[in-house]
């Protein structure tokens, strides 16, 4: 978003390189991503383009150097 791009310009350390790498690795598989939490412990929230995609997301994240993430599945009830 424009907001996030401006924030990174004003505070270059707002998004560490490993977070950028995670976003870049996952962006083609997701409609959207966001971060929640702070201080080295938080959550990346994803809406994937494919249902039941948590195994692949975990594999992608595991392939990144120094990334130790767990993947938790949730669903949005659309009814």
């Amino acid at each position: 978003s424009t907001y996030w791009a401006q924030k990174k310009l004003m505070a270059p350390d707002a998004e560490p390189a490993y977070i950028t790498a995670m976003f870049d690795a996952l962006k083609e598989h997701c409609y959207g991503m966001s971060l929640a939490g702070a201080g080295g412990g938080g959550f990346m929230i994803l809406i994937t383009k494919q249902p039941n995609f948590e195994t692949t997301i975990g594999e992608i994240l595991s392939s990144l150097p120094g990334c130790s993430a767990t993947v938790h599945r949730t669903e949005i009830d659309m009814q």
Side-chain angles (χ1 to χ4, degrees), residues 3 7 23 25 37 47 63 68 72:
Y3 163 79
K7 183 172 182 170
F23 278 161
I47 297 178
S63 73
S68 64
H72 303 273

Side-chain angles (χ1 to χ4, degrees), residues 7-25:
K7 183 172 182 170
K8 288 192 300 184
L9 285 173
M10 293 184 292
D13 295 331
E15 184 179 289
Y18 70 93
I19 296 293
T20 304
M22 291 169 71
F23 278 161
D24 288 346

Side-chain angles (χ1 to χ4, degrees), residues 52-79:
N52 306 315
F53 209 60
E54 64 273 10
T55 301
T56 303
I57 295 295
E59 291 168 356
I60 292 168
L61 293 174
S62 295
S63 73
L64 300 174
C67 181
S68 64
T70 58
V71 178
H72 303 273
R73 183 173 184 258
T74 187
E75 295 180 27
I76 299 172
D77 185 356
M78 301 299 285
Q79 297 180 350

